[in-house]
Amino acid sequence: MSSSIEHKTKRLLVVDDEYFNFEMLKAALASKFDVSYADSGQSCLASAIASPPDIILLDVCMPGLDGYDTCRMLKHTPETKNIPVVMVSGLESPSEKQAGFDAGCNAYVVKPFSVGALLEEINTVF
């Protein structure tokens, strides 16, 4: 792991409509990141503008504003356009992954995943 991550704790925003998923990610990643939570696309946008994280883990399947639309909005908002977005989804088809990249995500991780694999993807976008 690069030393720049160890000097300053990176802020990671987890966006998922299932609080249990956030709890699992927080338990796995809290030693490396300052982890915060948003439960919807709308709250993600508000949080990311008010207090920009260093990276966003974004669930694709959410009611209302889904992950694809949320990502597009993040990437078209001046305050948030440069924040790396890692989409996390159970949708694994090539067309779903392509839709994520078309929306502007920097990486796409398919559930279920290992924490090690997720960290590798996170580290590639920094």
Side-chain angles (χ1 to χ4, degrees), residues 27-59:
L29 301 173
S31 66
K32 298 183 183 335
F33 298 94
D34 176 13
V35 183
S36 59
Y37 175 64
D39 65 357
S40 68
Q42 292 89 341
S43 62
C44 166
L45 293 165
S47 178
I49 290 169
S51 180
D54 294 299
I55 189 165
I56 297 172
L57 289 186
L58 180 59
D59 185 29

PDB file of all heavy atoms in Angstrom, residues 27-59:
ATOM      1  N   ALA A  27     -16.879  -2.323   8.880  1.00  0.00           N
ATOM      2  CA  ALA A  27     -16.066  -3.234   9.694  1.00  0.00           C
ATOM      3  C   ALA A  27     -14.799  -3.640   8.950  1.00  0.00           C
ATOM      4  O   ALA A  27     -13.725  -3.751   9.543  1.00  0.00           O
ATOM      5  CB  ALA A  27     -16.891  -4.462  10.077  1.00  0.00           C
ATOM      6  N   ALA A  28     -14.923  -3.847   7.647  1.00  0.00           N
ATOM      7  CA  ALA A  28     -13.781  -4.310   6.848  1.00  0.00           C
ATOM      8  C   ALA A  28     -12.804  -3.186   6.501  1.00  0.00           C
ATOM      9  O   ALA A  28     -11.610  -3.438   6.346  1.00  0.00           O
ATOM     10  CB  ALA A  28     -14.285  -4.962   5.563  1.00  0.00           C
ATOM     11  N   LEU A  29     -13.294  -1.954   6.394  1.00  0.00           N
ATOM     12  CA  LEU A  29     -12.469  -0.872   5.854  1.00  0.00           C
ATOM     13  C   LEU A  29     -12.113   0.230   6.853  1.00  0.00           C
ATOM     14  O   LEU A  29     -11.313   1.113   6.542  1.00  0.00           O
ATOM     15  CB  LEU A  29     -13.176  -0.234   4.653  1.00  0.00           C
ATOM     16  CG  LEU A  29     -13.494  -1.176   3.494  1.00  0.00           C
ATOM     17  CD1 LEU A  29     -14.334  -0.460   2.444  1.00  0.00           C
ATOM     18  CD2 LEU A  29     -12.226  -1.736   2.885  1.00  0.00           C
ATOM     19  N   ALA A  30     -12.674   0.192   8.046  1.00  0.00           N
ATOM     20  CA  ALA A  30     -12.472   1.283   9.014  1.00  0.00           C
ATOM     21  C   ALA A  30     -11.016   1.451   9.437  1.00  0.00           C
ATOM     22  O   ALA A  30     -10.613   2.551   9.827  1.00  0.00           O
ATOM     23  CB  ALA A  30     -13.362   1.077  10.235  1.00  0.00           C
ATOM     24  N   SER A  31     -10.221   0.403   9.340  1.00  0.00           N
ATOM     25  CA  SER A  31      -8.811   0.538   9.725  1.00  0.00           C
ATOM     26  C   SER A  31      -8.008   1.311   8.672  1.00  0.00           C
ATOM     27  O   SER A  31      -6.940   1.838   8.972  1.00  0.00           O
ATOM     28  CB  SER A  31      -8.184  -0.839   9.944  1.00  0.00           C
ATOM     29  OG  SER A  31      -8.138  -1.558   8.722  1.00  0.00           O
ATOM     30  N   LYS A  32      -8.541   1.411   7.465  1.00  0.00           N
ATOM     31  CA  LYS A  32      -7.831   2.088   6.377  1.00  0.00           C
ATOM     32  C   LYS A  32      -8.480   3.408   5.953  1.00  0.00           C
ATOM     33  O   LYS A  32      -7.839   4.243   5.339  1.00  0.00           O
ATOM     34  CB  LYS A  32      -7.747   1.165   5.164  1.00  0.00           C
ATOM     35  CG  LYS A  32      -6.959  -0.110   5.441  1.00  0.00           C
ATOM     36  CD  LYS A  32      -6.844  -0.944   4.212  1.00  0.00           C
ATOM     37  CE  LYS A  32      -6.138  -2.255   4.383  1.00  0.00           C
ATOM     38  NZ  LYS A  32      -5.206  -2.408   5.442  1.00  0.00           N
ATOM     39  N   PHE A  33      -9.767   3.570   6.267  1.00  0.00           N
ATOM     40  CA  PHE A  33     -10.516   4.737   5.815  1.00  0.00           C
ATOM     41  C   PHE A  33     -11.409   5.285   6.924  1.00  0.00           C
ATOM     42  O   PHE A  33     -11.844   4.547   7.794  1.00  0.00           O
ATOM     43  CB  PHE A  33     -11.435   4.369   4.629  1.00  0.00           C
ATOM     44  CG  PHE A  33     -10.717   3.882   3.419  1.00  0.00           C
ATOM     45  CD1 PHE A  33     -10.522   2.526   3.208  1.00  0.00           C
ATOM     46  CD2 PHE A  33     -10.228   4.774   2.477  1.00  0.00           C
ATOM     47  CE1 PHE A  33      -9.852   2.064   2.081  1.00  0.00           C
ATOM     48  CE2 PHE A  33      -9.561   4.321   1.347  1.00  0.00           C
ATOM     49  CZ  PHE A  33      -9.371   2.966   1.153  1.00  0.00           C
ATOM     50  N   ASP A  34     -11.708   6.561   6.804  1.00  0.00           N
ATOM     51  CA  ASP A  34     -12.755   7.182   7.603  1.00  0.00           C
ATOM     52  C   ASP A  34     -14.037   6.948   6.796  1.00  0.00           C
ATOM     53  O   ASP A  34     -14.233   7.561   5.745  1.00  0.00           O
ATOM     54  CB  ASP A  34     -12.458   8.673   7.775  1.00  0.00           C
ATOM     55  CG  ASP A  34     -13.564   9.398   8.515  1.00  0.00           C
ATOM     56  OD1 ASP A  34     -14.439   8.742   9.116  1.00  0.00           O
ATOM     57  OD2 ASP A  34     -13.557  10.640   8.481  1.00  0.00           O
ATOM     58  N   VAL A  35     -14.888   6.031   7.261  1.00  0.00           N
ATOM     59  CA  VAL A  35     -16.035   5.557   6.480  1.00  0.00           C
ATOM     60  C   VAL A  35     -17.315   6.267   6.920  1.00  0.00           C
ATOM     61  O   VAL A  35     -17.640   6.297   8.106  1.00  0.00           O
ATOM     62  CB  VAL A  35     -16.215   4.028   6.640  1.00  0.00           C
ATOM     63  CG1 VAL A  35     -17.359   3.523   5.765  1.00  0.00           C
ATOM     64  CG2 VAL A  35     -14.925   3.294   6.303  1.00  0.00           C
ATOM     65  N   SER A  36     -18.027   6.845   5.939  1.00  0.00           N
ATOM     66  CA  SER A  36     -19.335   7.442   6.220  1.00  0.00           C
ATOM     67  C   SER A  36     -20.381   6.788   5.326  1.00  0.00           C
ATOM     68  O   SER A  36     -20.056   6.016   4.425  1.00  0.00           O
ATOM     69  CB  SER A  36     -19.295   8.963   6.026  1.00  0.00           C
ATOM     70  OG  SER A  36     -18.914   9.277   4.710  1.00  0.00           O
ATOM     71  N   TYR A  37     -21.660   7.124   5.569  1.00  0.00           N
ATOM     72  CA  TYR A  37     -22.753   6.401   4.943  1.00  0.00           C
ATOM     73  C   TYR A  37     -23.815   7.333   4.373  1.00  0.00           C
ATOM     74  O   TYR A  37     -24.159   8.347   4.989  1.00  0.00           O
ATOM     75  CB  TYR A  37     -23.397   5.492   6.001  1.00  0.00           C
ATOM     76  CG  TYR A  37     -24.631   4.748   5.548  1.00  0.00           C
ATOM     77  CD1 TYR A  37     -24.572   3.799   4.533  1.00  0.00           C
ATOM     78  CD2 TYR A  37     -25.861   4.964   6.158  1.00  0.00           C
ATOM     79  CE1 TYR A  37     -25.699   3.101   4.132  1.00  0.00           C
ATOM     80  CE2 TYR A  37     -27.001   4.262   5.768  1.00  0.00           C
ATOM     81  CZ  TYR A  37     -26.909   3.340   4.755  1.00  0.00           C
ATOM     82  OH  TYR A  37     -28.017   2.643   4.352  1.00  0.00           O
ATOM     83  N   ALA A  38     -24.312   6.977   3.199  1.00  0.00           N
ATOM     84  CA  ALA A  38     -25.498   7.603   2.619  1.00  0.00           C
ATOM     85  C   ALA A  38     -26.417   6.476   2.173  1.00  0.00           C
ATOM     86  O   ALA A  38     -25.959   5.477   1.615  1.00  0.00           O
ATOM     87  CB  ALA A  38     -25.128   8.492   1.444  1.00  0.00           C
ATOM     88  N   ASP A  39     -27.719   6.619   2.424  1.00  0.00           N
ATOM     89  CA  ASP A  39     -28.650   5.522   2.146  1.00  0.00           C
ATOM     90  C   ASP A  39     -29.403   5.652   0.833  1.00  0.00           C
ATOM     91  O   ASP A  39     -30.262   4.836   0.520  1.00  0.00           O
ATOM     92  CB  ASP A  39     -29.638   5.350   3.303  1.00  0.00           C
ATOM     93  CG  ASP A  39     -30.550   6.555   3.478  1.00  0.00           C
ATOM     94  OD1 ASP A  39     -30.390   7.564   2.747  1.00  0.00           O
ATOM     95  OD2 ASP A  39     -31.427   6.501   4.357  1.00  0.00           O
ATOM     96  N   SER A  40     -29.057   6.682   0.031  1.00  0.00           N
ATOM     97  CA  SER A  40     -29.742   6.865  -1.254  1.00  0.00           C
ATOM     98  C   SER A  40     -28.879   7.720  -2.174  1.00  0.00           C
ATOM     99  O   SER A  40     -27.917   8.366  -1.725  1.00  0.00           O
ATOM    100  CB  SER A  40     -31.086   7.573  -1.035  1.00  0.00           C
ATOM    101  OG  SER A  40     -30.873   8.906  -0.615  1.00  0.00           O
ATOM    102  N   GLY A  41     -29.258   7.732  -3.441  1.00  0.00           N
ATOM    103  CA  GLY A  41     -28.558   8.578  -4.387  1.00  0.00           C
ATOM    104  C   GLY A  41     -28.671  10.045  -4.031  1.00  0.00           C
ATOM    105  O   GLY A  41     -27.696  10.795  -4.105  1.00  0.00           O
ATOM    106  N   GLN A  42     -29.866  10.457  -3.589  1.00  0.00           N
ATOM    107  CA  GLN A  42     -30.075  11.846  -3.226  1.00  0.00           C
ATOM    108  C   GLN A  42     -29.194  12.249  -2.039  1.00  0.00           C
ATOM    109  O   GLN A  42     -28.564  13.310  -2.048  1.00  0.00           O
ATOM    110  CB  GLN A  42     -31.552  12.104  -2.873  1.00  0.00           C
ATOM    111  CG  GLN A  42     -32.483  11.998  -4.048  1.00  0.00           C
ATOM    112  CD  GLN A  42     -33.017  10.569  -4.283  1.00  0.00           C
ATOM    113  OE1 GLN A  42     -32.462   9.579  -3.818  1.00  0.00           O
ATOM    114  NE2 GLN A  42     -34.104  10.486  -5.026  1.00  0.00           N
ATOM    115  N   SER A  43     -29.135  11.408  -1.009  1.00  0.00           N
ATOM    116  CA  SER A  43     -28.320  11.757   0.154  1.00  0.00           C
ATOM    117  C   SER A  43     -26.828  11.693  -0.184  1.00  0.00           C
ATOM    118  O   SER A  43     -26.026  12.434   0.374  1.00  0.00           O
ATOM    119  CB  SER A  43     -28.663  10.891   1.368  1.00  0.00           C
ATOM    120  OG  SER A  43     -28.410   9.536   1.128  1.00  0.00           O
ATOM    121  N   CYS A  44     -26.455  10.836  -1.130  1.00  0.00           N
ATOM    122  CA  CYS A  44     -25.066  10.786  -1.600  1.00  0.00           C
ATOM    123  C   CYS A  44     -24.673  12.116  -2.215  1.00  0.00           C
ATOM    124  O   CYS A  44     -23.612  12.669  -1.893  1.00  0.00           O
ATOM    125  CB  CYS A  44     -24.899   9.670  -2.627  1.00  0.00           C
ATOM    126  SG  CYS A  44     -23.355   9.744  -3.567  1.00  0.00           S
ATOM    127  N   LEU A  45     -25.508  12.634  -3.094  1.00  0.00           N
ATOM    128  CA  LEU A  45     -25.201  13.905  -3.755  1.00  0.00           C
ATOM    129  C   LEU A  45     -25.079  15.035  -2.745  1.00  0.00           C
ATOM    130  O   LEU A  45     -24.130  15.822  -2.788  1.00  0.00           O
ATOM    131  CB  LEU A  45     -26.271  14.224  -4.796  1.00  0.00           C
ATOM    132  CG  LEU A  45     -26.312  13.277  -5.994  1.00  0.00           C
ATOM    133  CD1 LEU A  45     -27.613  13.441  -6.767  1.00  0.00           C
ATOM    134  CD2 LEU A  45     -25.125  13.502  -6.901  1.00  0.00           C
ATOM    135  N   ALA A  46     -26.007  15.101  -1.812  1.00  0.00           N
ATOM    136  CA  ALA A  46     -25.981  16.161  -0.802  1.00  0.00           C
ATOM    137  C   ALA A  46     -24.730  16.046   0.063  1.00  0.00           C
ATOM    138  O   ALA A  46     -24.041  17.039   0.326  1.00  0.00           O
ATOM    139  CB  ALA A  46     -27.238  16.092   0.067  1.00  0.00           C
ATOM    140  N   SER A  47     -24.411  14.842   0.486  1.00  0.00           N
ATOM    141  CA  SER A  47     -23.254  14.618   1.343  1.00  0.00           C
ATOM    142  C   SER A  47     -21.949  14.903   0.608  1.00  0.00           C
ATOM    143  O   SER A  47     -21.033  15.526   1.157  1.00  0.00           O
ATOM    144  CB  SER A  47     -23.266  13.173   1.853  1.00  0.00           C
ATOM    145  OG  SER A  47     -22.139  12.905   2.637  1.00  0.00           O
ATOM    146  N   ALA A  48     -21.854  14.454  -0.637  1.00  0.00           N
ATOM    147  CA  ALA A  48     -20.631  14.622  -1.417  1.00  0.00           C
ATOM    148  C   ALA A  48     -20.357  16.095  -1.722  1.00  0.00           C
ATOM    149  O   ALA A  48     -19.205  16.505  -1.809  1.00  0.00           O
ATOM    150  CB  ALA A  48     -20.698  13.819  -2.709  1.00  0.00           C
ATOM    151  N   ILE A  49     -21.402  16.892  -1.868  1.00  0.00           N
ATOM    152  CA  ILE A  49     -21.222  18.321  -2.105  1.00  0.00           C
ATOM    153  C   ILE A  49     -20.862  19.036  -0.802  1.00  0.00           C
ATOM    154  O   ILE A  49     -19.952  19.858  -0.760  1.00  0.00           O
ATOM    155  CB  ILE A  49     -22.480  18.944  -2.747  1.00  0.00           C
ATOM    156  CG1 ILE A  49     -22.624  18.434  -4.193  1.00  0.00           C
ATOM    157  CG2 ILE A  49     -22.426  20.468  -2.719  1.00  0.00           C
ATOM    158  CD1 ILE A  49     -23.950  18.765  -4.849  1.00  0.00           C
ATOM    159  N   ALA A  50     -21.558  18.684   0.283  1.00  0.00           N
ATOM    160  CA  ALA A  50     -21.336  19.351   1.571  1.00  0.00           C
ATOM    161  C   ALA A  50     -19.979  19.020   2.172  1.00  0.00           C
ATOM    162  O   ALA A  50     -19.318  19.883   2.757  1.00  0.00           O
ATOM    163  CB  ALA A  50     -22.449  18.975   2.542  1.00  0.00           C
ATOM    164  N   SER A  51     -19.566  17.764   2.038  1.00  0.00           N
ATOM    165  CA  SER A  51     -18.304  17.316   2.631  1.00  0.00           C
ATOM    166  C   SER A  51     -17.686  16.261   1.720  1.00  0.00           C
ATOM    167  O   SER A  51     -17.848  15.058   1.942  1.00  0.00           O
ATOM    168  CB  SER A  51     -18.586  16.729   4.025  1.00  0.00           C
ATOM    169  OG  SER A  51     -17.401  16.287   4.617  1.00  0.00           O
ATOM    170  N   PRO A  52     -17.000  16.691   0.660  1.00  0.00           N
ATOM    171  CA  PRO A  52     -16.526  15.750  -0.365  1.00  0.00           C
ATOM    172  C   PRO A  52     -15.606  14.652   0.188  1.00  0.00           C
ATOM    173  O   PRO A  52     -14.612  14.952   0.842  1.00  0.00           O
ATOM    174  CB  PRO A  52     -15.766  16.643  -1.346  1.00  0.00           C
ATOM    175  CG  PRO A  52     -16.282  18.022  -1.104  1.00  0.00           C
ATOM    176  CD  PRO A  52     -16.629  18.068   0.350  1.00  0.00           C
ATOM    177  N   PRO A  53     -15.963  13.395  -0.076  1.00  0.00           N
ATOM    178  CA  PRO A  53     -15.085  12.294   0.316  1.00  0.00           C
ATOM    179  C   PRO A  53     -13.952  12.143  -0.694  1.00  0.00           C
ATOM    180  O   PRO A  53     -13.975  12.757  -1.760  1.00  0.00           O
ATOM    181  CB  PRO A  53     -16.023  11.082   0.264  1.00  0.00           C
ATOM    182  CG  PRO A  53     -16.992  11.437  -0.826  1.00  0.00           C
ATOM    183  CD  PRO A  53     -17.187  12.930  -0.723  1.00  0.00           C
ATOM    184  N   ASP A  54     -12.979  11.308  -0.355  1.00  0.00           N
ATOM    185  CA  ASP A  54     -11.880  11.029  -1.282  1.00  0.00           C
ATOM    186  C   ASP A  54     -12.292   9.998  -2.326  1.00  0.00           C
ATOM    187  O   ASP A  54     -11.726   9.953  -3.418  1.00  0.00           O
ATOM    188  CB  ASP A  54     -10.656  10.520  -0.515  1.00  0.00           C
ATOM    189  CG  ASP A  54     -10.090  11.608   0.383  1.00  0.00           C
ATOM    190  OD1 ASP A  54      -9.680  12.652  -0.151  1.00  0.00           O
ATOM    191  OD2 ASP A  54     -10.068  11.415   1.612  1.00  0.00           O
ATOM    192  N   ILE A  55     -13.282   9.156  -1.968  1.00  0.00           N
ATOM    193  CA  ILE A  55     -13.758   8.117  -2.882  1.00  0.00           C
ATOM    194  C   ILE A  55     -15.176   7.721  -2.468  1.00  0.00           C
ATOM    195  O   ILE A  55     -15.543   7.836  -1.292  1.00  0.00           O
ATOM    196  CB  ILE A  55     -12.813   6.895  -2.882  1.00  0.00           C
ATOM    197  CG1 ILE A  55     -13.191   5.911  -4.002  1.00  0.00           C
ATOM    198  CG2 ILE A  55     -12.767   6.221  -1.519  1.00  0.00           C
ATOM    199  CD1 ILE A  55     -12.110   4.872  -4.296  1.00  0.00           C
ATOM    200  N   ILE A  56     -15.956   7.265  -3.435  1.00  0.00           N
ATOM    201  CA  ILE A  56     -17.329   6.830  -3.179  1.00  0.00           C
ATOM    202  C   ILE A  56     -17.488   5.384  -3.625  1.00  0.00           C
ATOM    203  O   ILE A  56     -17.128   5.047  -4.758  1.00  0.00           O
ATOM    204  CB  ILE A  56     -18.348   7.722  -3.930  1.00  0.00           C
ATOM    205  CG1 ILE A  56     -18.262   9.174  -3.421  1.00  0.00           C
ATOM    206  CG2 ILE A  56     -19.767   7.170  -3.792  1.00  0.00           C
ATOM    207  CD1 ILE A  56     -19.082  10.172  -4.216  1.00  0.00           C
ATOM    208  N   LEU A  57     -18.026   4.539  -2.736  1.00  0.00           N
ATOM    209  CA  LEU A  57     -18.455   3.184  -3.097  1.00  0.00           C
ATOM    210  C   LEU A  57     -19.955   3.278  -3.310  1.00  0.00           C
ATOM    211  O   LEU A  57     -20.695   3.590  -2.380  1.00  0.00           O
ATOM    212  CB  LEU A  57     -18.166   2.182  -1.980  1.00  0.00           C
ATOM    213  CG  LEU A  57     -16.729   1.815  -1.708  1.00  0.00           C
ATOM    214  CD1 LEU A  57     -16.669   0.702  -0.661  1.00  0.00           C
ATOM    215  CD2 LEU A  57     -16.015   1.375  -2.964  1.00  0.00           C
ATOM    216  N   LEU A  58     -20.413   3.012  -4.515  1.00  0.00           N
ATOM    217  CA  LEU A  58     -21.794   3.282  -4.904  1.00  0.00           C
ATOM    218  C   LEU A  58     -22.512   2.019  -5.354  1.00  0.00           C
ATOM    219  O   LEU A  58     -22.124   1.399  -6.347  1.00  0.00           O
ATOM    220  CB  LEU A  58     -21.781   4.315  -6.040  1.00  0.00           C
ATOM    221  CG  LEU A  58     -23.089   4.771  -6.640  1.00  0.00           C
ATOM    222  CD1 LEU A  58     -24.002   5.389  -5.588  1.00  0.00           C
ATOM    223  CD2 LEU A  58     -22.818   5.778  -7.762  1.00  0.00           C
ATOM    224  N   ASP A  59     -23.556   1.650  -4.606  1.00  0.00           N
ATOM    225  CA  ASP A  59     -24.395   0.515  -4.987  1.00  0.00           C
ATOM    226  C   ASP A  59     -25.169   0.883  -6.248  1.00  0.00           C
ATOM    227  O   ASP A  59     -25.569   2.033  -6.424  1.00  0.00           O
ATOM    228  CB  ASP A  59     -25.356   0.191  -3.840  1.00  0.00           C
ATOM    229  CG  ASP A  59     -26.196  -1.051  -4.091  1.00  0.00           C
ATOM    230  OD1 ASP A  59     -25.734  -1.960  -4.809  1.00  0.00           O
ATOM    231  OD2 ASP A  59     -27.313  -1.125  -3.552  1.00  0.00           O
TER     232      ASP A  59
END
